[in-house]
Amino acid sequence: MATINPFQMAQQQFDEVAQQLELSDNITRILRWPLREFHFQIPVQMDDGSMECFRGYRIQHNDALGPCKGGIRFHPAETVDTVRALGTWMTWKCAVADIPLGGGKGGVIVDPSGLSDAEKQRLCRGWIDQMWRNIGPRIDVPAPDVGTTPQMMGWMMDQYSKLIGSYTPGVITGKPLGGGGSRGRTEATGYGVVVTTREALKHLGINPNGCSASIQGFGNVAQYAAKFFKESLGVRVVAVSCWDRKDKTSYTYSNDDGIDYALLQSITDQYGSIDKAKAREHGIAIEPADAWLSKEVEILVPAAIESVITKENVGQIKPTVKVVAEGANGPCTPQADEVFRKNNVFVIPDILCNAGGVTCSYFEGVQNDMNYYWELEEVMERLDKKLTNAFASVLTMLERRKVYTRNAAYMVAIDRVVRAMELRGWI
Ligand code: NAD
């Protein structure tokens, strides 16, 4: 589905801003590539007694601001360039959110839906067996991403703790509640999408109440974005598009009067596939994959995978769309960006829009260090404050330099990372 290699896209985005900021060659060379890469095999004993070798990666892009931070993705189409891109974006995301962490990302080429729980557990423990010497609360802190869950983070934390001989909850975030996890982590990314959209609408002078949204994806990010759109802003979600595991294609599920996210959640399996018969029973229409893109809404939220809005399909977007909130990482290609720029669509770039997850992960690490856990209200309040401040920094940069929103967010991030590298004497 991807039309552009995501790492080339991440480098292209960086290059444009590096030029605008007139960064030196030395700084540019450091930041265009990850500082460290780990490529490894994970031998796993399968339930039938056979052995499979899975390909795993960990990319540590930059740790000038603090330990690397970023999820581990289990996906059959995982590539090292996707992991490199995601690791690079994590550096910028942590910097925009103004949290003292660097950028990293991990992955395994695997379809987790084809594994039993026992096989998944062995694969998670195997990932740690390969990487434990090079991660840690002060080195690199993984977290969940597409295809990985809080339970898997619990297994990984346990394996790391066993290997180093000391309970170390801060080695990994996104752990289950009661197992070192933070309240609010599950909701955090979707919540952040809604907080940043609220700020964008405020900036544009649009009242959210009465607006409608169309979302791609119905996984962790999209489900909570749908919930908080309705509960916090009164925004009607009229469509979600998601992958159907059995049919191996995606569909758009829509209802112009609004979809009840809780109902949809109740008929969605753990991998995000929706029960089509039950959806129809509840008056939800089932349309082709791309239908979510051409809905007459004010807010468009790609919250599934990368490189989905391209030069080929950006023309399908209706002029009613005022805000594109990038819940997913890298959903819009540079060619789509050009069209948004020309049409004055306010794009909330991924490194700002979906920074709620890593911000809450940072809170989780802080709570692990203190061994004291905050109430949900406290977590959500701190999240709101951090993301509102992050949005304000990007807006200030945008107004000062008169640049596209994505470039403004990159400028805020690059300034902070370069300053940290200077302070540490790297450059
Ligand atoms: P998830 O695995 O919970 O959900 C993914 C969703 O995408 C599912 O609903 C699936 O059906 C859908 N999907 C997959 N391929 C699709 C396709 N071709 N067309 C339509 N839908 C498709 O993942 P998630 O955690 O919600 O993450 C979604 C995106 O958000 C990813 O880009 C991820 O990197 C990013 N992100 C996630 C977090 C987080 O905290 N979970 C934080 C920051 C960024």
Side-chain angles (χ1 to χ4, degrees):
M1 160 147 220
T3 54
I4 173 171
N5 172 321
F7 186 51
Q8 285 169 348
M9 186 167 124
Q11 288 187 319
Q12 210 172 312
Q13 291 167 345
F14 169 77
D15 288 344
E16 188 179 319
V17 180
Q19 233 171 19
Q20 289 171 349
L21 289 174
E22 296 178 7
L23 291 185
S24 73
D25 278 356
N26 284 348
I27 296 177
T28 303
R29 270 194 312 217
I30 297 177
L31 294 174
R32 281 192 100 239
W33 277 90
L35 288 177
R36 288 176 292 278
E37 296 197 347
F38 302 88
H39 300 211
F40 45 89
Q41 296 215 72
I42 310 171
V44 174
Q45 189 175 16
M46 308 306 279
D47 290 346
D48 64 5
S50 65
M51 233 245 308
E52 284 268 352
C53 266
F54 296 94
R55 190 94 192 127
Y57 303 103
R58 184 72 186 170
I59 302 294
Q60 296 172 349
H61 173 259
N62 188 283
D63 52 8
L65 280 169
C68 293
K69 185 86 197 78
I72 302 173
R73 186 178 277 199
F74 283 7
H75 196 277
E78 190 66 293
T79 67
V80 67
D81 274 343
T82 311
V83 190
R84 282 175 177 143
L86 293 164
T88 308
W89 285 323
M90 284 307 295
T91 300
W92 311 136
K93 195 177 298 183
C94 292
V96 170
D98 203 13
I99 54 181
L101 297 169
K105 202 79 185 188
V108 177
I109 304 175
V110 61
D111 178 358
S113 68
L115 300 183
S116 70
D117 278 355
E119 288 165 343
K120 275 188 242 178
Q121 181 167 171
R122 289 194 286 271
L123 177 58
C124 288
R125 290 184 187 275
W127 195 95
I128 294 293
D129 289 343
Q130 298 303 320
M131 273 305 298
W132 68 278
R133 288 178 191 80
N134 298 292
I135 58 170
R138 297 290 174 263
I139 304 170
D140 180 7
V141 184
D145 195 81
V146 174
T148 47
T149 61
Q151 172 61 76
M152 293 178 181
M153 299 304 110
W155 293 328
M156 288 181 165
M157 183 275 280
D158 181 71
Q159 187 70 4
Y160 180 85
S161 296
K162 278 181 178 152
L163 285 166
I164 71 156
S166 169
Y167 173 61
T168 313
V171 67
I172 206 154
T173 61
K175 300 179 293 297
L177 272 182
S182 171
R183 291 185 178 84
R185 177 60 187 86
T186 313
E187 301 92 319
T189 309
Y191 184 69
V193 169
V194 173
V195 168
T196 51
T197 304
R198 179 193 72 202
E199 294 304 303
L201 292 172
K202 201 188 289 174
H203 164 68
L204 298 171
I206 299 171
N207 182 356
N209 209 325
C211 285
S212 52
S214 177
I215 304 180
Q216 187 191 36
F218 199 60
N220 173 266
V221 179
Q223 290 188 18
Y224 285 99
K227 172 181 159 77
F228 292 114
F229 267 132
K230 181 162 182 242
E231 290 177 2
S232 316
L233 301 185
V235 167
R236 197 164 32 100
V237 174
V238 297
V240 305
S241 157
C242 84
W243 188 253
D244 188 285
R245 237 168 1 120
K246 280 197 214 104
D247 296 357
K248 299 212 180 319
T249 184
S250 50
Y251 298 107
T252 296
Y253 300 81
S254 68
N255 184 333
D256 288 347
D257 296 329
I259 294 180
D260 179 352
Y261 74 88
L263 169 96
L264 207 59
Q265 225 171 11
S266 71
I267 58 170
T268 302
D269 72 19
Q270 59 171 316
Y271 302 103
S273 292
I274 293 171
D275 185 325
K276 294 196 284 300
K278 288 201 179 127
R280 281 196 196 94
E281 269 171 35
H282 288 95
I284 296 169
I286 297 166
E287 300 183 79
D290 256 10
W292 73 280
L293 199 60
S294 49
K295 294 283 166 193
E296 291 212 346
V297 292
E298 289 75 22
I299 306 159
L300 216 50
V301 187
I305 50 168
E306 59 282 339
S307 305
V308 290
I309 305 185
T310 62
K311 74 168 187 263
E312 283 77 27
N313 65 11
V314 67
Q316 292 175 31
I317 295 175
K318 294 280 186 284
T320 52
V321 172
K322 301 289 177 265
V323 174
V324 173
E326 293 188 325
N329 288 310
C332 303
T333 63
Q335 291 89 344
D337 271 346
E338 272 169 38
V339 176
F340 290 137
R341 225 181 287 215
K342 198 169 77 195
N343 294 349
N344 246 336
V345 175
F346 193 98
V347 174
I348 311 171
D350 48 5
I351 57 172
L352 171 63
C353 190
N354 68 36
V358 72
T359 304
C360 195
S361 280
Y362 163 59
F363 293 162
E364 184 176 328
V366 170
Q367 294 169 82
N368 290 154
D369 279 352
M370 293 191 296
N371 204 13
Y372 176 79
Y373 292 83
W374 303 330
E375 295 302 326
L376 180 64
E377 295 71 37
E378 188 169 355
V379 173
M380 299 318 255
E381 212 173 285
R382 285 176 189 267
L383 250 182
D384 194 326
K385 205 180 216 170
K386 269 279 183 206
L387 294 170
T388 305
N389 288 345
F391 187 94
S393 318
V394 172
L395 199 58
T396 305
M397 182 65 86
L398 183 148
E399 283 167 351
R400 182 154 67 89
R401 308 227 17 166
K402 307 272 177 277
V403 287
Y404 183 53
T405 45
R406 189 183 312 284
N407 295 26
Y410 264 78
M411 284 177 179
V412 170
I414 292 170
D415 270 359
R416 288 177 180 158
V417 174
V418 169
R419 175 100 183 108
M421 294 202 300
E422 277 166 2
L423 289 170
R424 295 181 66 161
W426 290 9
I427 46 175

